[in-house]
Coordinates of all heavy atoms in Angstrom, one line a residue:
V3 N -26.3 3.2 131.4 CA -27.3 2.2 131.6 C -26.6 0.8 131.7 O -25.4 0.7 131.4 CB -28.3 2.2 130.4 CG1 -29.0 3.5 130.3 CG2 -27.5 1.9 129.1
L7 N -27.2 -4.2 127.6 CA -27.8 -3.7 126.3 C -26.7 -3.8 125.2 O -27.1 -3.9 124.0 CB -28.2 -2.2 126.4 CG -29.5 -1.9 127.2 CD1 -29.7 -0.5 127.3 CD2 -30.6 -2.7 126.6
L8 N -25.5 -3.8 125.5 CA -24.4 -4.0 124.5 C -24.0 -5.5 124.4 O -23.0 -5.8 123.7 CB -23.2 -3.2 124.9 CG -23.4 -1.7 124.9 CD1 -22.1 -1.0 125.2 CD2 -23.9 -1.2 123.5
L20 N -33.0 -4.2 115.1 CA -33.1 -4.1 116.5 C -32.3 -2.8 116.9 O -31.1 -2.7 116.8 CB -32.4 -5.3 117.3 CG -32.4 -5.2 118.8 CD1 -33.7 -5.2 119.4 CD2 -31.5 -6.3 119.4
P21 N -33.0 -1.7 117.3 CA -32.3 -0.5 117.7 C -31.8 -0.6 119.1 O -32.4 -1.2 120.0 CB -33.4 0.6 117.6 CG -34.7 -0.2 117.9 CD -34.5 -1.6 117.3
L22 N -30.6 0.0 119.4 CA -30.0 0.0 120.7 C -29.6 1.5 120.9 O -28.9 2.1 120.1 CB -28.8 -0.9 120.8 CG -29.1 -2.4 120.7 CD1 -27.7 -3.2 120.8 CD2 -30.0 -2.9 121.8
S23 N -30.0 2.0 122.1 CA -29.6 3.3 122.5 C -29.2 3.3 123.9 O -30.0 2.9 124.8 CB -30.8 4.3 122.3 OG -30.4 5.6 122.7
C24 N -27.9 3.7 124.2 CA -27.5 3.7 125.6 C -26.3 4.6 125.7 O -25.8 5.2 124.8 CB -27.1 2.3 126.0 SG -25.7 1.6 125.1
S25 N -25.8 4.8 126.9 CA -24.6 5.5 127.2 C -23.6 4.6 128.0 O -24.1 3.7 128.7 CB -24.9 6.8 128.1 OG -25.7 7.6 127.4
A45 N -22.3 8.5 124.2 CA -23.7 8.2 123.7 C -23.6 7.2 122.5 O -22.9 7.5 121.5 CB -24.4 9.4 123.3
I46 N -24.3 6.1 122.6 CA -24.2 5.1 121.6 C -25.6 4.8 121.0 O -26.6 4.6 121.7 CB -23.7 3.7 122.2 CG1 -22.3 4.0 122.8 CG2 -23.7 2.6 121.1 CD1 -21.9 2.8 123.7
Q47 N -25.7 5.0 119.7 CA -26.9 4.7 118.9 C -26.6 3.7 117.8 O -25.8 4.0 116.9 CB -27.4 6.0 118.3 CG -27.7 7.2 119.2 CD -29.0 7.0 119.9 OE1 -29.9 6.2 119.5 NE2 -29.2 7.7 121.1
L48 N -27.2 2.5 117.9 CA -26.9 1.4 117.0 C -28.2 0.8 116.4 O -29.3 0.9 117.1 CB -26.1 0.3 117.7 CG -24.8 0.7 118.3 CD1 -24.2 -0.5 119.0 CD2 -23.8 1.2 117.2
E49 N -28.1 0.3 115.2 CA -29.1 -0.5 114.6 C -28.6 -1.8 114.1 O -27.6 -1.8 113.4 CB -29.7 0.3 113.4 CG -30.8 -0.4 112.7 CD -32.2 -0.3 113.5 OE1 -32.3 0.7 114.3 OE2 -33.0 -1.1 113.2

Side-chain angles (χ1 to χ4, degrees):
V3 298
L7 286 179
L8 296 180
L20 174 67
L22 293 180
S23 178
C24 65
S25 297
I46 302 169
Q47 302 282 341
L48 300 177
E49 182 76 23

